[in-house]
């Protein structure tokens, strides 16, 4: 099969060299995100044969059961980013405290906040999995990062990306100049540009939500969800339901086909389930860069001022018109 497209490295050097002073360090970091994808893809492809399925018997800072693959993915991320030489701190869903990386080199420009393995309930049943990455720059690259450097609004991100471990392994990234998708060619060991300048349709015909939570939702959320099921050809309703158990996989589908993913606040859990810093923010940046929206139901996700490292936030994300319509209901205006 001919090399029909650019590699990740070729694309980054072509698109970033135009930036005054270049973004060599950011490009270098993004290739390390790609390396994480190659390492995890290799492990996941044969997970059933490596005795890495099932749980470790531990629970993480979220109070969730830790799967063996959660731990392997986290260790892989920490090792790769520590060795990169361009990362001064790491925040992970799987680690209560941040890892501050002391570098003999003074100018260490980036902090990475990540969910090493999204969709853990899928690990043992060979369903899609993902990894999510948010990249911010510390206030000063010559001093160790402080808490203010870690608790950053989503608009402060310099880049974001996700890995999707599906039938193919994909890396989708944005550095503020559009969203670009790369597909891993395992034979070459290279990511090849397969989805340049991804744009999400203004409206879709699909929703991704855990309908089992219906009784826990607010009246406004139930009314929105019931609205999606009413027949109305002009607005493509009733929508189809697609829920994979992996946020990355569902958001990726929305990016390509349009639609909306919701993990809303509940009456007893208004903050929702998903984490702001390393799930909602990076995916919100990607979806907004592709022309979509990401809301907590009452405000733009990227404008939320973080208070705690592992804080949760309701997430309504996807096509522009779908998110706006959902907000209309959730504001109680419908
Ligand atoms: P896990 O990684 O703990 O499986 O959570 C996955 C996730 O964060 C997101 O990927 C899914 O969309 C959502 O949670 C599934 O949560 P429910 O099982 O409560 O629907």
């Amino acid at each position: 099969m001919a090399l029909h497209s650019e590699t990740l490295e070729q694309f980054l050097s072509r698109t970033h060299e135009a930036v005054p002073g270049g973004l060599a360090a950011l490009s270098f970091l993004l290739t390390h995100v790609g390396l994480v994808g190659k390492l995890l893809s290799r492990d996941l492809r044969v997970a059933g044969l490596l005795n890495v399925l099932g749980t470790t018997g531990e629970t993480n800072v979220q109070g969730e059961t830790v799967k063996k693959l959660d731990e392997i993915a986290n260790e892989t991320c920490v090792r790769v980013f520590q060795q990169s030489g361009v990362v001064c701190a790491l925040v992970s869903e799987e680690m209560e405290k941040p890892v501050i990386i002391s570098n003999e080199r003074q100018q260490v420009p980036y902090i990475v906040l990540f969910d090493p393995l999204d969709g853990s309930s899928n690990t043992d049943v060979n369903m899609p999995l993902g990894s999510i990455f948010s990249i911010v720059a510390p206030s000063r690259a010559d001093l160790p990062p402080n808490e203010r450097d870690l608790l950053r609004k989503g608009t402060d991100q310099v880049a974001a990306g996700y890995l999707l471990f599906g039938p193919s392994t994909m890396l989708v990234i944005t550095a503020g100049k559009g969203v670009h998708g790369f597909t891993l060619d395992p034979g070459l060991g290279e990511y090849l540009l397969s989805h340049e300048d991804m744009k999400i349709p203004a409206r879709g015909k699909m929703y991704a939500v855990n309908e089992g939570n219906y009784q826990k939702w607010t009246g406004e959320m139930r009314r929105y969800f019931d609205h999606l099921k009413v027949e109305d050809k002009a607005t493509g309703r009733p929508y189809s339901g697609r829920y994979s158990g992996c946020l990355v996989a569902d958001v990726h589908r929305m990016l390509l086909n349009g639609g909306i993913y919701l993990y809303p606040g509940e009456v007893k859990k208004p903050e929702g389930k998903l984490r702001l810093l390393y799930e909602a923010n990076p995916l919100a940046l990607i979806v907004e860069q592709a022309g979509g929206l990401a809301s907590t139901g009452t405000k733009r996700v990227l404008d939320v001022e973080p208070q705690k490292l592992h804080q949760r936030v309701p997430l309504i994300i996807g096509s522009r018109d779908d998110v706006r319509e959902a907000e209309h209901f959730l504001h109680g205006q419908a």
Side-chain angles (χ1 to χ4, degrees):
M1 174 170 57
L3 181 59
H4 71 290
S5 178
E6 280 180 302
T7 66
L8 173 65
E9 289 73 8
Q10 288 169 329
F11 176 84
L12 289 172
S13 58
R14 171 169 66 87
T15 54
H16 284 162
E17 68 189 4
V19 177
L23 278 172
L26 182 57
S27 299
F28 186 64
L29 177 52
L30 290 172
T31 59
H32 280 76
V33 173
L35 175 57
V36 169
K38 292 179 190 176
L39 293 166
L40 294 186
S41 179
R42 178 198 61 187
D43 294 346
L44 293 173
R45 289 271 167 275
V46 290
L49 305 176
L50 296 178
N51 185 29
V52 294
L53 300 181
T55 63
T56 63
E58 309 290 323
T59 52
N60 65 12
V61 63
Q62 325 290 341
E64 292 161 345
T65 303
V66 177
K67 295 293 190 62
K68 288 177 187 169
L69 283 171
D70 284 321
E71 206 160 69
I72 290 169
N74 189 62
E75 287 162 3
T76 301
C77 290
V78 170
R79 187 173 68 248
V80 167
F81 293 129
Q82 276 184 326
Q83 291 167 354
S84 71
V86 291
V87 174
C88 58
L90 295 171
V91 171
S92 166
E93 178 196 72
E94 295 302 327
M95 303 187 296
E96 184 170 2
K97 302 281 185 209
V99 170
I100 306 299
I101 302 168
S102 56
N103 281 278
E104 59 284 351
R105 291 169 45 192
Q106 283 311 308
Q107 301 303 322
V108 180
Y110 296 114
I111 295 165
V112 183
L113 307 95
F114 59 94
D115 177 0
L117 199 64
D118 168 62
S120 307
S121 60
N122 287 349
T123 54
D124 298 359
V125 292
N126 197 27
M127 292 290 283
L129 290 160
S131 304
I132 311 170
F133 304 90
S134 173
I135 299 169
V136 298
S139 44
R140 289 189 49 182
D142 57 342
L143 290 175
N146 56 38
E147 186 173 70
R148 267 197 322 281
D149 287 317
L150 304 178
L151 294 176
R152 308 286 284 282
K153 277 200 314 185
T155 46
D156 285 352
Q157 294 174 100
V158 293
Y162 62 79
L163 289 160
L164 172 57
F165 305 104
S168 15
T169 292
M170 279 195 70
L171 169 64
V172 174
I173 57 172
T174 185
K177 296 194 298 177
V179 178
H180 310 287
F182 300 80
T183 299
L184 179 64
D185 180 328
L188 280 178
E190 293 281 6
Y191 289 92
L192 300 180
L193 182 65
S194 53
H195 298 70
E196 184 164 10
D197 197 21
M198 297 171 81
K199 292 296 179 200
I200 187 170
R203 179 180 281 276
K205 295 178 180 173
M206 283 184 184
Y207 64 79
V209 70
N210 185 340
E211 302 188 37
N213 294 331
Y214 185 89
Q215 295 302 331
K216 301 175 187 172
W217 292 340
T218 62
E220 291 80 6
M221 176 61 201
R222 292 187 199 179
R223 272 191 291 284
Y224 170 64
F225 188 62
D226 295 342
H227 166 80
L228 293 182
K229 295 178 166 232
V230 170
E231 175 131 9
D232 174 55
K233 293 207 180 337
T235 53
R237 288 181 289 147
Y239 278 19
S240 293
R242 294 283 189 280
Y243 192 64
S244 72
C246 173
L247 169 64
V248 166
D250 291 330
V251 167
H252 186 72
R253 182 196 296 111
M254 301 300 164
L255 261 185
L256 293 171
N257 297 345
I260 187 166
Y261 170 100
L262 305 101
Y263 211 108
E266 297 167 359
V267 171
K268 292 183 179 169
K269 283 190 343 187
E271 72 283 2
K273 172 182 183 182
L274 302 175
R275 296 77 167 181
L276 173 62
L277 292 183
Y278 40 78
E279 288 179 324
N281 271 346
L283 293 177
L285 183 66
I286 289 168
V287 168
E288 283 202 5
Q289 280 282 315
L293 292 176
S295 169
T296 66
T298 54
K299 73 181 292 187
R300 185 187 182 213
V301 165
L302 294 181
D303 289 337
V304 174
E305 284 286 356
Q307 304 302 320
K308 292 183 296 180
L309 218 45
H310 300 288
Q311 84 180 57
R312 298 175 191 268
V313 70
L315 181 62
I316 291 89
I317 187 170
S319 293
R320 183 197 62 210
D321 295 352
D322 285 304
V323 173
R324 281 188 182 140
E325 183 177 64
E327 285 185 316
H328 187 68
F329 277 83
L330 294 172
H331 284 147
Q333 293 157 352

